Amino acid sequence: MPIEGFDYKQFATDLATQAKDLVPQEFEQFQKDYVVNTLANFSNMAGEAISNDAEAGFNAEQAIFLTQIIAEWSFHKSVDVIRSGIQPEYWDVVLQKIAFTIFEIGKNTIKQNLPQDKILELVENQVLKAYEEALEELQQRGIIDEELKEKAEKQNNLNQLMEQVEAEQAAQREAEAAQQQQTQEGVPSEVQQPVVQNNEVDKKLFKLASLALLLRTMSQDRVSTILNKFNQQDAQLVIQYMNMPDLNQRVDTNTAMQCLKEIKTNLPSRRATTKNQLIFRIKNALQDTSREKLDLLLKHERINVKKFVTTALQDELYELPPKVSNVIAQHIENSV
């Protein structure tokens, strides 16, 4: 029997549309399609199962909550599986196990009326456990070796996104401190940093509200860890936004996703991006790679990528924008 106010097909479509803007830009098209399609399929199946489960008796808010948890973890773990280097034919094996785990844990804990932060904490713990168990099974079947298993275990797209949010906060604090120091040292007003205009303030507030939407899907411990790295004023604003019962209505979800995408993709990466560090990363990643394997790896790459890698191996570096250089270095590291 349909749940009033919960159109699971439309909800799954909306979630998949939003996810398109958050898929890592360095992914190949078939990888991007896989992430979005996996999220859509799992969201749709979960929504249909919830709607048809008359015994559970979920209302629209509970159905949306569980479906969104499945969608978000499907997104993050599909990104992790792709980055791990596991062959595409085994991605579904890992992700189906995770989706089933979330559905069962989520459904049972919601029926028990547990607080949302407790549900999220339990789900996160079980997701990580299911992910490790799936990798262990692949290793026991001889599909992956210990090295690939360890690489897969280290992948954590959700943590990367949070680190980049924290990096933005750190950069903002440094800018505010520098501006305050200029003022204290009596720097002439005509050379001081310009006063933040209203539109810039509005943009910052919207970013904090968008972040609040994301944090509302996390456990209290994780939220506290993240907000402890914010300045007190911004942390209080995020908490206020999180406590707004109608935040989803006040903040357009599509715009919020775009805002989080900007946080994720436009910040300077925290990975090493100086010339010497980039050379070290490339050489270190390719140290055990034969010439034949390297030629195969670069066969379909653009000329600039080939120049970047080959010059790095010769202790030089073909100059590209720092962001692009880091993406290439990360691609090489994930490909070997």
Side-chain angles (χ1 to χ4, degrees), residues 234-281:
D234 287 350
Q236 287 300 321
L237 281 171
V238 172
I239 292 172
Q240 289 177 25
Y241 287 134
M242 290 176 67
N243 290 331
M244 286 183 180
D246 59 345
L247 182 62
N248 287 329
Q249 285 73 45
R250 288 173 175 263
V251 180
D252 177 71
T253 307
N254 289 326
T255 312
M257 286 294 182
Q258 184 61 35
C259 186
L260 291 173
K261 179 188 177 186
E262 290 178 9
I263 293 174
K264 183 177 180 182
T265 61
N266 293 343
L267 287 174
S269 172
R270 300 180 73 183
R271 297 293 301 277
T273 54
T274 67
K275 176 181 176 180
N276 289 337
Q277 290 168 329
L278 285 166
I279 290 174
F280 172 80
R281 287 173 61 190

Side-chain angles (χ1 to χ4, degrees), residues 44-323:
N44 197 65
M45 287 189 292
E48 183 178 14
I50 295 167
S51 296
N52 294 334
D53 191 344
E55 183 181 345
F58 281 5
N59 59 33
E61 182 180 355
Q62 293 169 323
I64 289 171
F65 177 60
L66 179 53
T67 305
Q68 190 162 1
I69 294 174
I70 291 175
E72 291 178 353
W73 276 112
S74 297
F75 176 87
H76 291 302
K77 298 317 290 182
S78 61
V79 170
D80 290 343
V81 169
I82 291 172
R83 284 177 169 161
S84 73
I86 294 174
Q87 291 299 309
E89 57 263 37
Y90 301 108
W91 293 347
D92 283 350
V93 175
V94 178
L95 295 169
Q96 286 170 359
K97 185 180 184 70
I98 291 172
F100 177 78
T101 298
I102 297 172
F103 184 79
E104 290 301 313
I105 294 293
K107 186 175 72 171
N108 292 332
T109 52
I110 290 173
K111 288 170 67 175
Q112 295 171 32
N113 292 318
L114 294 183
Q116 283 195 4
D117 63 317
K118 184 62 177 177
I119 294 174
L120 293 168
E121 182 181 349
L122 290 171
V123 167
E124 180 174 2
N125 291 336
Q126 291 302 313
V127 164
L128 298 179
K129 181 180 178 182
Y131 182 58
E132 291 177 359
E133 288 176 351
L135 296 177
E136 182 68 30
E137 291 172 7
L138 290 179
Q139 184 185 23
Q140 290 178 357
R141 292 167 57 188
I143 294 170
I144 61 175
D145 57 20
E146 180 64 27
E147 183 179 357
L148 187 55
K149 176 173 172 285
E150 290 179 0
K151 180 180 178 182
E153 289 174 339
K154 292 177 182 178
Q155 303 302 319
N156 197 319
N157 184 63
L158 178 59
N159 278 354
Q160 284 186 20
L161 176 57
M162 289 300 97
E163 287 174 1
Q164 288 170 316
V165 171
E166 292 163 9
E168 183 182 66
Q169 285 293 313
Q172 180 182 324
R173 288 196 299 272
E174 290 174 5
E176 291 173 350
Q179 184 173 349
Q180 184 177 10
Q181 183 177 6
Q182 284 181 332
T183 303
Q184 291 173 346
E185 292 176 354
V187 178
S189 59
E190 62 269 16
V191 296
Q192 289 181 16
Q193 293 292 326
V195 176
V196 178
Q197 299 299 317
N198 286 339
N199 61 335
E200 293 177 349
V201 173
D202 291 343
K203 185 175 181 180
K204 175 185 174 181
L205 293 177
F206 191 82
K207 281 190 176 183
L208 295 178
S210 300
L211 178 61
L213 280 175
L214 178 64
L215 295 183
R216 278 166 60 158
T217 66
M218 299 181 186
S219 66
Q220 188 60 48
D221 287 344
R222 182 182 285 272
V223 171
S224 298
T225 299
I226 293 168
L227 292 184
N228 283 340
K229 299 181 181 181
F230 282 45
N231 65 49
Q232 187 175 0
Q233 183 179 9
D234 287 350
Q236 287 300 321
L237 281 171
V238 172
I239 292 172
Q240 289 177 25
Y241 287 134
M242 290 176 67
N243 290 331
M244 286 183 180
D246 59 345
L247 182 62
N248 287 329
Q249 285 73 45
R250 288 173 175 263
V251 180
D252 177 71
T253 307
N254 289 326
T255 312
M257 286 294 182
Q258 184 61 35
C259 186
L260 291 173
K261 179 188 177 186
E262 290 178 9
I263 293 174
K264 183 177 180 182
T265 61
N266 293 343
L267 287 174
S269 172
R270 300 180 73 183
R271 297 293 301 277
T273 54
T274 67
K275 176 181 176 180
N276 289 337
Q277 290 168 329
L278 285 166
I279 290 174
F280 172 80
R281 287 173 61 190
I282 295 295
K283 295 182 72 172
N284 184 61
L286 297 175
Q287 59 181 341
D288 298 323
T289 303
S290 66
R291 183 68 194 184
E292 291 76 13
K293 187 176 179 180
L294 177 60
D295 290 341
L296 185 62
L297 180 66
L298 299 178
K299 182 177 179 180
H300 300 295
E301 298 291 351
R302 295 184 295 274
I303 186 66
N304 285 350
V305 176
K306 293 179 180 178
K307 287 183 179 179
F308 180 85
V309 174
T310 54
T311 54
L313 293 174
Q314 299 169 4
D315 292 323
E316 294 294 335
L317 202 64
Y318 181 71
E319 290 192 13
L320 292 171
K323 179 70 176 179

